[in-house]
Amino acid sequence: MERVIQHALLQLGDSSNLRSIRSVEGGDINQAAYVETEENAYFVKTNQNVPRHFFRVEAKGLKEIEASQSIAVPKVYYYDEPVRGSKGALVMEWIEGASTKDTKRRLGEQVALLHSSYGDKFGYEEDSFMGLLPQPNDWYEDWIDYYHDGRLVPQFNMAKERHYLPEDRKQRLLKLMERLPNWIDSSVQPSLLHGDLWGGNWMAGPEGKPYLIDPSVLYGDRCFELAFTELFGGFSKEFYEGYKEILPIPDHYSESKAVYQLFYLLAHLNLFGEMYGTHVDRILKRYVD
Ligand code: ADP
């Protein structure tokens, strides 16, 4: 790890002496460390066993959110792609702080500002990841086409390959995928979305300022993001109050919410296994017979 870090520091232009390296727990995928030099403090992720564009697309997503000037993200200093068995690395600004009284409200307001940053099309220009699952991307004129072809179909195919699709689940899923326009509003605008907004992917920085981390960005219906925030909890009443001060929750959200949660549940089914199957089936039974 130290060699990778020293190489990265030299590449980003910090040749001052290393003061300390300490590992940081909490990530699911990468090795992470706090790195302090005489000049600066950094958060560094490394990994040998990820596809080449893994850190590149994370860095790109962070920069895209930063450019929207809606919500803070750690500044990206450097990334290196893993090649021929060597480790890839992503070096960013070290964020440290604690929530204050209004952090969650500010998080809600600023996520709504992020969602008010619009693109021209739906999807994304680069293939990305959901955790370690590949997320194929492209630009689409139509949101429902993207949600169908770009999100549900790849998860459906993965689930089939991994034997997580017993016949009943498979048939219902196919029916639901055919009937998406029943529940999803096709007239939505392409909002910039974090794309993986669960409770572990934001943190509080200095003075309780909210930061988003670990994005998997796309342009899409903002209800897709809201639906995920509600799936496993972790976002408080203040978060939604803050959000609603900037943007109203669309009427169609109550209809589309579980249809959107289905994507994240299928990804969890494919990543972690059948323990997510019951939840998938519950949603499918509610929407299709
Ligand atoms: P992984 O990609 O392996 O899931 P994360 O990006 O989730 O890793 O980071 C792991 C943990 O490190 C997070 O839960 C968070 O506590 C901490 N962390 C992430 N980014 C920073 C940062 N820029 N500064 C300080 N700590 C961070």
Side-chain angles (χ1 to χ4, degrees):
M1 175 105 160
E2 189 161 332
R3 209 161 49 86
V4 184
I5 289 172
Q6 289 199 319
H7 174 75
L9 291 175
L10 277 180
Q11 295 296 317
L12 66 86
D14 182 348
S15 50
S16 67
N17 289 326
L18 251 182
R19 278 208 183 120
S20 66
I21 301 181
R22 132 173 93 71
S23 68
V24 174
E25 304 303 320
D28 310 321
I29 297 167
N30 305 293
Q31 294 85 55
Y34 167 76
V35 175
E36 192 186 323
T37 67
E38 281 171 355
E39 253 177 36
N40 211 344
Y42 304 95
F43 178 73
V44 182
K45 291 194 203 185
T46 60
N47 202 321
Q48 194 167 352
N49 304 312
V50 285
R52 280 190 68 163
H53 65 302
F54 190 82
F55 288 129
R56 174 163 45 90
V57 73
E58 182 173 343
K60 189 177 160 82
L62 286 167
K63 287 180 184 172
E64 189 131 358
I65 295 175
E66 183 181 39
S68 75
Q69 299 188 322
S70 53
I71 184 159
V73 288
K75 218 179 273 313
V76 175
Y77 294 122
Y78 177 77
Y79 70 85
D80 208 358
E81 303 190 0
V83 280
R84 277 179 266 111
S86 77
K87 283 188 171 179
L90 177 59
V91 183
M92 61 183 106
E93 180 185 6
W94 174 258
I95 306 297
E96 192 165 326
S99 284
T100 53
K101 197 160 89 306
D102 65 345
T103 298
K104 288 178 177 155
R105 172 178 288 271
R106 279 156 77 194
L107 177 66
E109 287 169 4
Q110 293 174 6
V111 166
L113 290 174
L114 176 75
H115 291 175
S116 320
S117 180
Y118 299 108
D120 303 326
K121 293 200 168 69
F122 299 97
Y124 199 52
E125 63 204 354
E126 245 184 278
D127 292 348
S128 57
F129 297 89
M130 282 305 303
L132 273 174
L133 293 181
Q135 171 55 56
N137 279 316
D138 213 332
W139 290 122
Y140 287 69
E141 295 292 339
D142 183 272
W143 164 247
I144 297 183
D145 285 347
Y146 173 75
Y147 189 57
H148 180 276
D149 298 357
R151 293 280 164 164
L152 294 180
V153 168
Q155 293 299 332
F156 177 94
N157 290 338
M158 258 183 266
K160 205 164 128 199
E161 246 168 54
R162 294 172 191 210
H163 306 291
Y164 293 137
L165 282 190
E167 198 52 29
D168 183 55
R169 186 180 295 160
K170 184 172 133 194
Q171 292 309 330
R172 283 180 205 265
L173 196 47
L174 286 169
K175 279 189 200 162
L176 179 130
M177 284 159 63
E178 265 172 29
R179 300 179 198 166
L180 290 179
N182 288 358
W183 312 290
I184 295 183
D185 181 359
S186 60
S187 69
V188 293
Q189 283 182 277
S191 291
L192 178 55
L193 309 181
H194 172 282
D196 192 9
L197 194 55
W198 67 286
N201 275 348
W202 72 271
M203 27 183 318
E207 279 109 50
K209 179 174 168 177
Y211 281 75
L212 296 184
I213 57 172
D214 227 358
S216 175
V217 307
L218 71 147
Y219 285 84
D221 182 359
R222 59 198 177 87
C223 291
F224 181 46
E225 185 118 291
L226 288 173
F228 191 33
T229 64
E230 285 200 67
L231 184 56
F232 302 126
F235 290 85
S236 61
K237 172 167 119 303
E238 291 83 359
F239 170 84
Y240 298 102
E241 281 168 6
Y243 190 95
K244 282 189 253 180
E245 261 171 43
I246 307 293
L247 286 176
I249 307 284
D251 290 341
H252 65 85
Y253 178 55
S254 53
E255 282 281 290
S256 59
K257 180 162 87 178
V259 177
Y260 286 148
Q261 289 177 335
L262 201 55
F263 165 78
Y264 289 102
L265 286 165
L266 287 171
H268 278 71
L269 180 71
N270 284 322
L271 274 170
F272 306 114
E274 188 50 42
M275 61 200 181
Y276 288 94
T278 324
H279 201 157
V280 167
D281 293 339
R282 208 179 326 134
I283 293 179
L284 288 173
K285 283 181 184 152
R286 211 176 99 198
Y287 283 86
V288 284
D289 36 59

